[in-house]
Amino acid sequence: MNLPTPEQIREYIVNQLPCEHCEVEGDGSHFQAIIVSPAFEGKRLIARHQLVYAALGDRMREEIHALSMSTLTPEEYKKNG
């Protein structure tokens, strides 16, 4: 089984979720992502993560072993940036 690249993970996310910014780093099994999406507005952390997991679908179980993520709204990203 080929391990996914950070670029592939990023592509999976942006194809399913409207993102203003999406940055993914990792080594094939552990990934870190910064995802900025208006879809996160008014949602709690767990709901934001569920949106990302839904975007990744079965890949989350089959290909991606660990994903830590920062999920921010565009407004939060501007404040923290």
Side-chain angles (χ1 to χ4, degrees):
M1 180 176 93
N2 287 339
L3 293 173
T5 64
E7 292 75 26
Q8 287 171 311
I9 307 269
R10 182 189 178 284
E11 207 170 286
Y12 300 152
I13 294 169
V14 300
N15 285 341
Q16 298 295 319
L17 199 61
C19 293
E20 287 195 7
H21 178 84
C22 184
E23 195 179 309
V24 181
E25 294 176 357
D27 62 6
S29 55
H30 296 89
F31 296 94
Q32 303 83 40
I34 299 170
I35 305 158
V36 181
S37 174
F40 299 148
E41 296 281 354
K43 291 191 171 48
R44 295 167 64 148
L45 191 62
I46 187 79
R48 294 176 183 200
H49 286 196
Q50 285 168 337
L51 282 174
V52 178
Y53 293 142
L56 292 168
D58 290 340
R59 293 183 183 100
M60 203 57 222
R61 276 194 306 276
E62 295 162 10
E63 296 173 30
I64 304 162
H65 302 296
L67 174 66
S68 62
M69 56 183 126
S70 297
T71 49
L72 304 165
T73 64
E75 194 58 39
E76 291 166 341
Y77 186 64
K78 283 186 196 111
K79 269 192 258 176
N80 297 334

Coordinates of all heavy atoms in Angstrom, one line a residue:
M1 N 0.8 -1.2 0.0 CA 0.0 0.0 0.0 C 0.9 1.3 0.0 O 1.8 1.4 0.8 CB -0.9 0.0 1.2 CG -1.8 1.2 1.3 SD -2.9 1.1 2.7 CE -2.0 2.0 3.9
N2 N 0.6 2.2 -0.9 CA 1.4 3.4 -0.9 C 0.8 4.4 0.2 O -0.4 4.5 0.3 CB 1.2 4.1 -2.3 CG 2.0 3.4 -3.4 OD1 2.9 2.6 -3.1 ND2 1.6 3.6 -4.6
L3 N 1.8 5.0 0.8 CA 1.4 6.0 1.8 C 1.1 7.3 1.1 O 1.7 7.6 0.1 CB 2.6 6.2 2.8 CG 2.9 5.0 3.7 CD1 4.1 5.3 4.5 CD2 1.7 4.7 4.6
P4 N 0.1 8.0 1.6 CA -0.3 9.3 1.0 C 0.7 10.3 1.2 O 1.4 10.3 2.3 CB -1.7 9.6 1.6 CG -1.6 8.9 2.9 CD -0.8 7.7 2.7
T5 N 0.9 11.3 0.3 CA 1.7 12.4 0.5 C 0.9 13.6 1.2 O -0.3 13.6 1.0 CB 2.3 12.9 -0.8 OG1 1.3 13.4 -1.6 CG2 3.1 11.8 -1.5
P6 N 1.6 14.5 1.8 CA 0.9 15.7 2.3 C 0.1 16.4 1.2 O -1.0 16.9 1.5 CB 2.0 16.6 2.8 CG 3.1 15.6 3.2 CD 3.0 14.5 2.2
E7 N 0.6 16.4 0.0 CA -0.1 17.1 -1.1 C -1.4 16.4 -1.4 O -2.4 17.0 -1.7 CB 0.8 17.1 -2.4 CG 2.0 18.0 -2.3 CD 3.2 17.4 -1.4 OE1 3.3 16.1 -1.3 OE2 4.0 18.2 -0.9
Q8 N -1.4 15.0 -1.4 CA -2.6 14.3 -1.7 C -3.6 14.5 -0.6 O -4.8 14.7 -0.9 CB -2.3 12.8 -1.7 CG -1.6 12.3 -3.0 CD -1.1 10.9 -2.9 OE1 -0.5 10.5 -1.9 NE2 -1.4 10.1 -4.0
I9 N -3.2 14.5 0.7 CA -4.1 14.8 1.8 C -4.8 16.2 1.6 O -6.0 16.3 1.7 CB -3.4 14.7 3.1 CG1 -2.6 13.5 3.3 CG2 -4.4 15.0 4.3 CD1 -3.3 12.3 3.9
R10 N -3.9 17.1 1.3 CA -4.4 18.5 1.0 C -5.5 18.5 -0.1 O -6.5 19.1 0.1 CB -3.2 19.4 0.7 CG -3.7 20.9 0.5 CD -2.6 21.7 -0.1 NE -3.1 23.1 -0.2 CZ -3.9 23.4 -1.3 NH1 -4.3 22.6 -2.2 NH2 -4.3 24.7 -1.3
E11 N -5.2 17.8 -1.1 CA -6.1 17.7 -2.3 C -7.4 17.1 -1.9 O -8.5 17.6 -2.2 CB -5.4 16.9 -3.4 CG -5.9 17.3 -4.8 CD -5.1 16.6 -5.8 OE1 -3.9 17.0 -6.0 OE2 -5.6 15.6 -6.4
Y12 N -7.4 16.0 -1.1 CA -8.6 15.3 -0.6 C -9.4 16.3 0.1 O -10.7 16.4 0.0 CB -8.3 14.2 0.3 CG -7.5 13.0 -0.2 CD1 -6.6 12.3 0.6 CD2 -7.5 12.7 -1.6 CE1 -5.9 11.2 0.1 CE2 -6.7 11.7 -2.1 CZ -5.9 10.9 -1.2 OH -5.2 9.9 -1.7
I13 N -8.8 17.1 1.0 CA -9.6 18.0 1.9 C -10.2 19.2 1.0 O -11.4 19.4 1.1 CB -8.7 18.6 3.0 CG1 -8.2 17.5 3.9 CG2 -9.4 19.7 3.7 CD1 -7.1 17.9 4.9
V14 N -9.3 19.8 0.2 CA -9.8 21.0 -0.6 C -10.9 20.6 -1.6 O -11.7 21.4 -2.0 CB -8.7 21.9 -1.2 CG1 -7.8 22.4 -0.1 CG2 -7.9 21.1 -2.2
N15 N -10.8 19.4 -2.1 CA -11.8 18.9 -3.0 C -13.2 18.7 -2.4 O -14.2 18.7 -3.1 CB -11.4 17.6 -3.7 CG -10.3 17.8 -4.7 OD1 -10.1 18.9 -5.2 ND2 -9.6 16.8 -5.1
Q16 N -13.3 18.6 -1.1 CA -14.5 18.3 -0.4 C -15.0 19.4 0.5 O -16.2 19.4 0.9 CB -14.4 17.0 0.4 CG -14.1 15.8 -0.4 CD -15.2 15.4 -1.3 OE1 -16.4 15.5 -1.0 NE2 -14.9 15.0 -2.5
L17 N -14.1 20.3 0.8 CA -14.4 21.4 1.8 C -14.0 22.7 1.3 O -12.8 22.8 0.8 CB -13.6 21.0 3.1 CG -14.0 21.6 4.4 CD1 -15.4 21.2 4.8 CD2 -13.0 21.1 5.5
P18 N -14.8 23.7 1.3 CA -14.4 25.0 0.8 C -13.3 25.6 1.8 O -13.5 25.8 3.0 CB -15.6 25.9 0.9 CG -16.5 25.2 1.9 CD -16.2 23.8 1.9
C19 N -12.1 25.7 1.3 CA -11.0 26.2 2.1 C -10.4 27.5 1.6 O -10.2 27.6 0.4 CB -9.8 25.1 2.1 SG -10.3 23.6 2.9
E20 N -10.1 28.4 2.5 CA -9.4 29.6 2.1 C -7.9 29.4 2.3 O -7.1 30.0 1.6 CB -9.8 30.8 3.0 CG -11.2 31.3 2.7 CD -11.4 32.6 3.3 OE1 -10.5 33.3 3.9 OE2 -12.6 33.1 3.2
H21 N -7.5 28.4 3.1 CA -6.1 28.1 3.3 C -6.1 26.6 3.8 O -6.9 26.2 4.6 CB -5.5 29.0 4.4 CG -4.1 28.7 4.7 ND1 -3.1 29.2 3.9 CD2 -3.5 28.0 5.7 CE1 -1.9 28.7 4.4 NE2 -2.2 28.0 5.5
C22 N -5.2 25.8 3.3 CA -5.0 24.5 3.7 C -3.6 24.1 3.5 O -3.0 24.1 2.4 CB -5.9 23.5 2.9 SG -5.9 21.8 3.5
E23 N -2.9 23.8 4.6 CA -1.5 23.4 4.6 C -1.4 22.1 5.3 O -1.9 21.9 6.4 CB -0.9 24.5 5.5 CG 0.6 24.7 5.4 CD 1.0 25.9 6.3 OE1 0.4 27.0 6.2 OE2 1.9 25.7 7.2
V24 N -0.7 21.1 4.7 CA -0.5 19.8 5.3 C 1.0 19.4 5.2 O 1.6 19.6 4.2 CB -1.4 18.7 4.5 CG1 -1.2 17.4 5.2 CG2 -2.8 19.1 4.5
E25 N 1.4 19.0 6.4 CA 2.8 18.5 6.4 C 2.8 17.1 7.0 O 1.8 16.7 7.8 CB 3.7 19.4 7.3 CG 3.9 20.7 6.8 CD 4.6 21.6 7.8 OE1 5.0 21.2 8.9 OE2 4.9 22.8 7.4
G26 N 3.8 16.3 6.7 CA 3.8 14.9 7.3 C 4.8 14.0 6.7 O 5.4 14.4 5.7
D27 N 4.9 12.8 7.2 CA 5.9 11.8 6.8 C 5.3 10.6 6.2 O 6.0 9.6 6.0 CB 6.8 11.5 8.0 CG 6.0 10.8 9.1 OD1 4.8 10.5 8.9 OD2 6.6 10.6 10.2
G28 N 4.0 10.6 5.8 CA 3.4 9.4 5.3 C 2.5 8.7 6.2 O 1.5 8.1 5.8
S29 N 2.7 8.8 7.5 CA 1.8 8.2 8.4 C 1.2 9.2 9.4 O 0.1 9.0 9.9 CB 2.4 6.9 9.1 OG 3.6 7.3 9.7
H30 N 2.1 10.2 9.8 CA 1.6 11.2 10.7 C 1.6 12.5 10.0 O 2.6 12.9 9.3 CB 2.5 11.3 11.9 CG 2.6 10.0 12.7 ND1 3.4 9.0 12.5 CD2 1.8 9.7 13.8 CE1 3.2 8.0 13.3 NE2 2.2 8.4 14.1
F31 N 0.4 13.2 10.1 CA 0.3 14.5 9.4 C -0.2 15.6 10.3 O -0.9 15.3 11.3 CB -0.8 14.3 8.3 CG -0.3 13.4 7.2 CD1 -0.7 12.0 7.2 CD2 0.5 13.8 6.1 CE1 -0.3 11.1 6.2 CE2 0.9 12.9 5.2 CZ 0.5 11.6 5.2
Q32 N 0.1 16.8 10.0 CA -0.4 18.0 10.7 C -1.0 18.9 9.6 O -0.4 19.0 8.6 CB 0.7 18.8 11.4 CG 1.6 18.0 12.4 CD 2.7 17.2 11.7 OE1 3.3 17.6 10.8 NE2 2.9 16.0 12.2
A33 N -2.2 19.4 9.9 CA -2.8 20.2 9.0 C -3.3 21.5 9.6 O -3.8 21.5 10.8 CB -4.0 19.5 8.3
I34 N -3.3 22.6 8.8 CA -3.9 23.9 9.2 C -5.0 24.1 8.1 O -4.6 24.2 6.9 CB -2.9 25.0 9.2 CG1 -1.8 24.8 10.3 CG2 -3.7 26.3 9.5 CD1 -0.7 25.8 10.2
I35 N -6.2 24.1 8.5 CA -7.3 24.2 7.6 C -8.2 25.4 8.0 O -8.6 25.5 9.1 CB -8.2 22.9 7.6 CG1 -7.3 21.7 7.4 CG2 -9.3 23.0 6.6 CD1 -7.9 20.4 7.9
V36 N -8.3 26.3 7.0 CA -9.1 27.5 7.2 C -10.3 27.5 6.3 O -10.1 27.4 5.1 CB -8.3 28.8 6.9 CG1 -9.1 30.1 7.2 CG2 -7.0 28.8 7.8
S37 N -11.5 27.4 6.9 CA -12.7 27.2 6.0 C -13.9 28.0 6.6 O -14.1 28.0 7.8 CB -13.1 25.7 6.0 OG -14.3 25.6 5.3
P38 N -14.6 28.7 5.8 CA -15.9 29.3 6.2 C -16.9 28.3 6.7 O -17.8 28.6 7.5 CB -16.4 30.1 5.0 CG -15.7 29.5 3.8 CD -14.4 28.9 4.3
A39 N -16.7 27.0 6.3 CA -17.6 26.0 6.8 C -17.5 25.8 8.3 O -18.4 25.2 8.9 CB -17.3 24.7 6.1
F40 N -16.5 26.2 8.9 CA -16.3 26.1 10.4 C -17.0 27.1 11.2 O -17.1 27.0 12.4 CB -14.8 26.1 10.7 CG -14.0 25.0 10.1 CD1 -12.6 25.2 9.7 CD2 -14.5 23.7 9.8 CE1 -11.9 24.2 9.2 CE2 -13.8 22.7 9.2 CZ -12.4 23.0 8.9
E41 N -17.5 28.1 10.6 CA -18.2 29.2 11.3 C -19.3 28.7 12.2 O -20.1 27.9 11.8 CB -18.9 30.2 10.3 CG -17.9 31.0 9.4 CD -17.2 32.1 10.1 OE1 -17.6 32.5 11.2 OE2 -16.4 32.7 9.4
G42 N -19.3 29.1 13.5 CA -20.3 28.7 14.4 C -20.3 27.2 14.9 O -21.2 26.8 15.5
K43 N -19.2 26.5 14.5 CA -19.1 25.1 14.9 C -18.1 24.9 16.0 O -17.0 25.6 16.0 CB -18.7 24.2 13.7 CG -19.9 24.2 12.7 CD -19.6 23.1 11.6 CE -20.8 22.9 10.7 NZ -21.4 24.1 10.2
R44 N -18.3 24.0 16.8 CA -17.4 23.6 17.9 C -16.3 22.8 17.3 O -16.4 22.2 16.2 CB -18.1 22.8 19.0 CG -19.1 23.7 19.7 CD -20.0 22.9 20.6 NE -19.2 22.3 21.6 CZ -19.7 22.0 22.8 NH1 -20.9 22.3 23.1 NH2 -18.9 21.4 23.7
L45 N -15.2 22.6 18.0 CA -14.0 21.9 17.6 C -14.3 20.5 17.0 O -13.9 20.1 15.9 CB -13.0 21.8 18.7 CG -11.6 21.3 18.3 CD1 -11.0 22.3 17.3 CD2 -10.7 21.2 19.5
I46 N -15.1 19.7 17.8 CA -15.4 18.4 17.3 C -16.2 18.4 16.0 O -15.9 17.5 15.1 CB -16.2 17.6 18.5 CG1 -16.3 16.1 18.1 CG2 -17.5 18.2 18.8 CD1 -15.1 15.3 18.3
A47 N -17.1 19.3 15.8 CA -17.9 19.4 14.6 C -17.0 19.8 13.4 O -17.1 19.3 12.3 CB -19.0 20.4 14.7
R48 N -16.0 20.6 13.7 CA -15.0 21.0 12.6 C -14.2 19.8 12.2 O -14.0 19.6 11.0 CB -14.1 22.1 13.2 CG -14.8 23.4 13.5 CD -13.9 24.4 14.1 NE -14.6 25.7 14.4 CZ -14.0 26.8 14.6 NH1 -12.7 26.9 14.5 NH2 -14.7 27.9 14.9
H49 N -13.7 19.1 13.2 CA -12.9 17.9 12.9 C -13.8 16.8 12.1 O -13.3 16.2 11.2 CB -12.4 17.3 14.2 CG -11.2 18.1 14.7 ND1 -10.3 17.6 15.7 CD2 -10.8 19.3 14.5 CE1 -9.4 18.5 16.0 NE2 -9.7 19.6 15.3
Q50 N -15.0 16.7 12.5 CA -15.9 15.8 11.8 C -16.1 16.2 10.3 O -16.1 15.3 9.5 CB -17.3 15.7 12.5 CG -17.2 14.9 13.8 CD -18.4 15.0 14.6 OE1 -19.2 15.9 14.5 NE2 -18.6 14.0 15.5
L51 N -16.1 17.5 10.0 CA -16.2 17.9 8.6 C -14.9 17.5 7.9 O -15.0 17.0 6.7 CB -16.3 19.4 8.6 CG -17.7 20.0 8.8 CD1 -17.6 21.6 8.9 CD2 -18.7 19.6 7.8
V52 N -13.8 17.6 8.5 CA -12.5 17.2 7.8 C -12.5 15.7 7.6 O -12.2 15.2 6.6 CB -11.3 17.7 8.6 CG1 -10.0 17.2 7.9 CG2 -11.3 19.2 8.7
Y53 N -12.9 14.9 8.7 CA -12.9 13.5 8.6 C -13.9 13.1 7.5 O -13.6 12.1 6.7 CB -13.3 12.8 9.9 CG -12.3 13.0 11.0 CD1 -12.7 13.2 12.3 CD2 -11.0 12.9 10.8 CE1 -11.8 13.3 13.3 CE2 -10.0 13.1 11.8 CZ -10.5 13.3 13.1 OH -9.6 13.4 14.1
A54 N -15.0 13.7 7.4 CA -16.0 13.4 6.3 C -15.4 13.7 4.9 O -15.6 12.9 4.0 CB -17.3 14.2 6.5
A55 N -14.6 14.8 4.8 CA -13.9 15.1 3.6 C -12.9 14.0 3.2 O -12.8 13.7 2.0 CB -13.3 16.5 3.6
L56 N -12.3 13.5 4.2 CA -11.3 12.4 3.9 C -11.9 11.0 3.7 O -11.3 10.2 3.1 CB -10.3 12.4 5.0 CG -9.4 13.6 5.1 CD1 -8.6 13.6 6.4 CD2 -8.4 13.7 3.9
G57 N -13.1 10.9 4.3 CA -13.9 9.6 4.1 C -13.1 8.4 4.5 O -12.4 8.4 5.6
D58 N -13.1 7.3 3.7 CA -12.5 6.0 4.1 C -11.0 6.1 4.2 O -10.4 5.3 4.8 CB -12.9 5.0 3.0 CG -14.3 4.6 3.1 OD1 -14.9 4.8 4.2 OD2 -14.8 4.0 2.1
R59 N -10.4 7.1 3.5 CA -9.0 7.3 3.6 C -8.5 7.5 5.0 O -7.4 7.1 5.4 CB -8.5 8.5 2.8 CG -8.8 8.3 1.3 CD -8.3 9.5 0.5 NE -8.6 9.3 -0.9 CZ -9.6 9.9 -1.5 NH1 -10.4 10.7 -0.8 NH2 -9.8 9.7 -2.7
M60 N -9.3 8.0 5.9 CA -9.0 8.3 7.3 C -8.7 6.9 7.9 O -7.8 6.8 8.8 CB -10.1 9.0 7.9 CG -9.7 9.8 9.2 SD -8.4 11.0 8.9 CE -7.5 10.7 10.3
R61 N -9.5 5.9 7.6 CA -9.3 4.6 8.2 C -8.2 3.8 7.5 O -7.4 3.1 8.2 CB -10.6 3.8 8.1 CG -11.6 4.1 9.2 CD -12.7 3.0 9.2 NE -13.3 2.9 7.9 CZ -14.3 3.6 7.4 NH1 -14.8 4.6 8.2 NH2 -14.8 3.4 6.2
E62 N -8.1 3.9 6.2 CA -7.3 3.0 5.4 C -5.8 3.6 5.2 O -4.9 2.8 5.2 CB -7.9 2.8 4.1 CG -9.2 2.0 4.2 CD -10.1 2.1 3.0 OE1 -9.6 2.6 1.9 OE2 -11.3 1.6 3.1
E63 N -5.7 4.9 5.0 CA -4.4 5.4 4.6 C -3.7 6.3 5.6 O -2.5 6.3 5.7 CB -4.5 6.2 3.3 CG -5.0 5.5 2.1 CD -5.3 6.4 0.9 OE1 -4.6 7.5 0.8 OE2 -6.2 6.1 0.1
I64 N -4.6 7.0 6.3 CA -4.0 8.1 7.2 C -4.1 7.5 8.7 O -5.1 7.3 9.2 CB -4.8 9.4 7.1 CG1 -4.8 9.8 5.6 CG2 -4.2 10.4 8.0 CD1 -5.9 10.8 5.3
H65 N -2.9 7.4 9.3 CA -2.9 6.8 10.6 C -3.0 7.9 11.7 O -3.7 7.6 12.7 CB -1.6 6.0 10.8 CG -1.5 4.9 9.8 ND1 -2.4 3.9 9.8 CD2 -0.6 4.7 8.8 CE1 -2.1 3.1 8.7 NE2 -1.0 3.6 8.2
A66 N -2.5 9.0 11.5 CA -2.6 10.1 12.5 C -2.6 11.4 11.8 O -1.8 11.7 10.9 CB -1.4 10.0 13.4
L67 N -3.6 12.2 12.2 CA -3.8 13.6 11.6 C -4.1 14.5 12.8 O -5.1 14.4 13.4 CB -4.9 13.6 10.6 CG -5.3 15.0 10.0 CD1 -4.1 15.6 9.2 CD2 -6.5 14.9 9.2
S68 N -3.2 15.4 13.0 CA -3.5 16.5 14.0 C -3.8 17.7 13.2 O -3.2 18.0 12.2 CB -2.4 16.7 15.0 OG -1.2 17.2 14.3
M69 N -4.8 18.4 13.6 CA -5.2 19.6 12.8 C -5.7 20.8 13.6 O -6.2 20.7 14.7 CB -6.4 19.2 11.9 CG -7.6 18.6 12.5 SD -8.8 18.1 11.3 CE -9.1 16.4 11.8
S70 N -5.4 21.9 13.0 CA -5.9 23.2 13.5 C -7.0 23.6 12.5 O -6.7 23.7 11.3 CB -4.8 24.3 13.5 OG -3.8 23.9 14.4
T71 N -8.2 23.7 13.0 CA -9.3 24.1 12.2 C -9.8 25.5 12.6 O -10.3 25.7 13.7 CB -10.5 23.1 12.3 OG1 -10.7 22.9 13.7 CG2 -10.1 21.7 11.7
L72 N -9.6 26.4 11.6 CA -9.9 27.8 11.9 C -10.9 28.4 10.9 O -10.9 28.0 9.8 CB -8.6 28.7 11.9 CG -7.5 28.2 12.8 CD1 -6.2 28.9 12.3 CD2 -7.8 28.5 14.2
T73 N -11.7 29.4 11.4 CA -12.5 30.1 10.5 C -11.6 31.2 9.9 O -10.5 31.5 10.4 CB -13.7 30.8 11.2 OG1 -13.2 31.8 12.1 CG2 -14.6 29.9 11.9
P74 N -12.0 31.8 8.7 CA -11.1 32.9 8.2 C -10.9 34.0 9.2 O -9.8 34.5 9.2 CB -12.0 33.4 7.0 CG -12.8 32.1 6.6 CD -13.1 31.4 7.8
E75 N -11.9 34.3 10.0 CA -11.7 35.4 11.0 C -10.7 35.0 12.0 O -9.9 35.8 12.4 CB -13.1 35.7 11.6 CG -13.2 36.9 12.4 CD -12.8 38.2 11.6 OE1 -13.2 38.3 10.4 OE2 -12.1 39.1 12.2
E76 N -10.8 33.8 12.5 CA -9.8 33.3 13.5 C -8.4 33.3 13.0 O -7.4 33.6 13.6 CB -10.2 31.9 14.0 CG -11.5 31.8 14.8 CD -12.0 30.4 15.0 OE1 -11.6 29.5 14.2 OE2 -12.8 30.2 15.9
Y77 N -8.3 32.9 11.7 CA -7.0 32.8 11.1 C -6.4 34.2 10.9 O -5.2 34.3 11.2 CB -7.2 32.1 9.7 CG -5.9 31.9 9.0 CD1 -5.0 31.0 9.5 CD2 -5.6 32.5 7.8 CE1 -3.8 30.7 8.8 CE2 -4.4 32.2 7.1 CZ -3.5 31.3 7.6 OH -2.3 31.1 7.0
K78 N -7.2 35.2 10.6 CA -6.7 36.5 10.5 C -6.2 37.0 11.8 O -5.1 37.7 11.9 CB -7.8 37.5 10.0 CG -8.0 37.3 8.5 CD -9.0 38.4 8.0 CE -9.5 38.0 6.6 NZ -10.9 37.7 6.6
K79 N -6.9 36.7 12.9 CA -6.6 37.2 14.3 C -5.3 36.5 14.7 O -4.4 37.1 15.4 CB -7.7 36.8 15.2 CG -8.7 37.9 15.4 CD -9.6 37.7 16.6 CE -10.9 37.2 16.1 NZ -11.8 36.8 17.1
N80 N -5.1 35.2 14.4 CA -4.0 34.4 14.9 C -2.8 34.6 14.0 O -1.7 34.2 14.3 CB -4.3 32.9 15.0 CG -5.4 32.7 16.1 OD1 -5.5 33.5 17.0 ND2 -6.2 31.7 15.9
G81 N -3.0 35.0 12.7 CA -1.9 35.1 11.7 C -1.0 36.2 12.0 O 0.1 36.2 12.2

